[in-house]
Amino acid sequence: MADWRDDLPDVRGKLLLDQPLAPYTWFRVGGPADALFLPKDEDDLADFLRVLPAEVPVHFMGVASNSIIRDGGIEGVTIRLMGGYWGSVEPAGSHSLFARAGALDLAVAKASAKHGISGLTFFSGIPGSIGGAVRTNAGCYGRELKDVANQIEGITRSGEKVRFEAEIAQYGDPKIEFSYRHTNFPDDVIVTGILLTGSGDGDPEALQAEIEEHQARRAETQPIKDKTGGSTFANPDPPGTPDQRSSWKLIDAAGCRGLKVGGAQVSEKHCNFLINTDDATAADIEALGELVRARVLDVTGVDLRWEIRRIGRIQAKA
Ligand SMILES: Cc1cc2nc3c(=O)[nH]c(=O)nc-3n(C[C@H](O)[C@H](O)[C@H](O)COP(=O)(O)OP(=O)(O)OC[C@H]3O[C@@H](n4cnc5c(N)ncnc54)[C@H](O)[C@@H]3O)c2cc1C
């Protein structure tokens, strides 16, 4: 049978076949992409998507700080908007920055300090890309992406450029809704850029100090030097719920701190984090997560929901 990859369109960026993805992920696990596309710019991406046969599956990834890529790899085309062009963050009018999708959240925070824009330093606590932040409504320290997202630009699976306007910044908008670590942002739209608006003028030195404080707090409480994927399970109750139940407390109560499956372990430092202690497979990490879920359900009656996205083919056992 003909391989769909024999007829891939010409591109100006890079198109790599059977490309290992593990090095691009925080967990450092996972199999190859059938095809990995690193577009040069928006037109390269749109032109490619316009002619890519509709039946070829397309997936988007940032820096995979919220994803487990399974050991069998990802079917179809995986698109990643990282690197120089995609990492830019520039001032864009009153108290605003325009970030291309591959900009790291930390780069957004640092740019906000440099340009004296307050209200955006919370991004320094999130180790992902700003494109991934849209999909996950990333947030910390009481702020979320939806509080500062003013305009989102993207490209649909069929190669059409689209833009979502300011009303996205509210929960409950009829078109795009954001809730705790979740959004109904269309699955078939890859975010290419975002206009972020802070809350006003800020002193660059004070903002830089805020960033350093956020980072120090992180290092103290989370295993940020380990191969991890962030919070594994969403808290069962949204922020602001009285007596909010947190996943880590439930996991601790179920006796899972330090629990291991193969090379995967529940972090001793923060038990809602799973870590690859060096030789884990994606299957180890996922099985550990499922074991934790089962134990938490058994002991506390709470059915935890994965916050980490799991994607790709399960590898058949040899
Ligand atoms: C140590 C650690 C601490 C963390 N702390 C926090 C925290 O405090 N708050 C928080 O919210 N998160 C946290 N996370 C999780 C993670 O950093 C965020 O969810 C982040 O927004 C994911 O971005 P990413 O680029 O890694 O996305 P990925 O993991 O690569 O992808 C996540 C999702 O976004 C989609 N996606 C990626 N790029 C695009 C794009 N350009 N267009 C459309 N969809 C796209 C993917 O398809 C996928 O569905 C933490 C993670 C780690 C490892």
Side-chain angles (χ1 to χ4, degrees):
M1 196 172 76
D3 187 336
W4 57 268
R5 299 181 302 175
D6 294 341
D7 295 320
L8 283 171
D10 288 338
V11 296
R12 287 181 291 112
K14 287 187 182 157
L15 194 47
L16 308 164
L17 303 189
D18 299 316
Q19 179 68 21
L21 292 177
Y24 299 121
T25 73
W26 261 69
F27 270 122
R28 296 287 190 275
V29 298
D34 288 350
L36 177 66
F37 180 33
L38 309 170
K40 193 153 183 89
D41 53 29
E42 286 84 353
D43 286 341
D44 194 25
L45 175 56
D47 291 346
F48 175 84
L49 288 171
R50 225 172 281 127
V51 294
L52 184 71
E55 62 276 15
V56 177
V58 170
H59 303 275
F60 313 135
M61 76 183 276
V63 295
S65 62
N66 197 230
S67 305
I68 296 172
I69 292 177
R70 295 192 174 111
D71 303 307
I74 301 186
E75 186 186 4
V77 178
T78 299
I79 300 176
R80 198 166 181 265
L81 307 182
M82 304 304 294
Y85 175 83
W86 291 108
S88 73
V89 187
E90 299 293 339
S94 180
H95 309 132
S96 298
L97 295 171
F98 183 80
R100 288 213 172 87
L104 292 179
D105 297 326
L106 178 60
V108 170
K110 284 186 174 169
S112 76
K114 180 174 166 196
H115 297 290
I117 302 169
S118 65
L120 297 173
T121 60
F122 74 94
F123 278 117
S124 59
I126 309 166
S129 68
I130 203 78
V134 172
R135 166 60 52 207
T136 61
N137 188 24
C140 57
Y141 307 127
R143 304 209 92 188
E144 299 171 302
L145 183 281
K146 61 103 187 152
D147 299 324
V148 296
N150 206 331
Q151 236 176 42
I152 299 175
E153 295 180 5
I155 297 179
T156 65
R157 169 64 182 82
S158 52
E160 184 197 351
K161 292 183 184 170
V162 287
R163 178 184 286 177
F164 300 88
E165 298 292 342
E167 66 271 27
I168 54 169
Q170 301 301 320
Y171 274 150
D173 175 79
K175 293 193 287 292
I176 308 290
E177 288 178 11
F178 289 94
S179 55
Y180 177 65
R181 303 294 172 265
H182 189 70
T183 175
N184 67 352
F185 190 82
D187 280 338
D188 74 333
V189 174
I190 183 164
V191 174
T192 53
I194 177 162
L195 182 68
L196 299 157
T197 300
S199 30
D201 290 330
D203 169 47
E205 276 181 28
L207 294 171
Q208 182 57 37
E210 258 175 50
I211 292 175
E212 282 158 26
E213 193 206 315
H214 291 337
Q215 293 194 303
R217 216 188 317 167
R218 288 272 145 172
E220 217 172 281
T221 56
Q222 296 182 353
I224 56 168
K225 298 235 161 80
D226 287 317
K227 298 171 200 155
T228 183
S231 296
T232 309
F233 302 106
N235 289 328
D237 306 315
T241 311
D243 301 321
Q244 186 196 13
R245 295 165 300 173
S246 43
S247 297
W248 78 263
K249 284 188 186 159
L250 296 163
I251 294 168
D252 217 11
C256 296
R257 191 179 287 266
L259 188 68
K260 285 185 180 169
V261 170
Q265 183 175 21
V266 176
S267 166
E268 295 277 2
K269 195 169 198 177
H270 188 317
C271 60
N272 196 22
F273 283 65
L274 305 182
I275 52 178
N276 171 3
T277 57
D278 236 9
D279 56 354
T281 60
D284 289 342
I285 298 170
E286 196 168 357
L288 177 61
E290 288 301 334
L291 181 61
V292 169
R293 279 187 67 219
R295 289 204 183 171
V296 169
L297 182 62
D298 190 37
V299 173
T300 71
V302 177
D303 191 4
L304 292 177
R305 175 173 67 81
W306 281 90
E307 185 171 311
I308 291 182
R309 172 184 79 139
R310 291 146 301 136
I311 181 177
R313 294 173 284 231
I314 294 173
Q315 195 166 48
K317 287 204 174 106

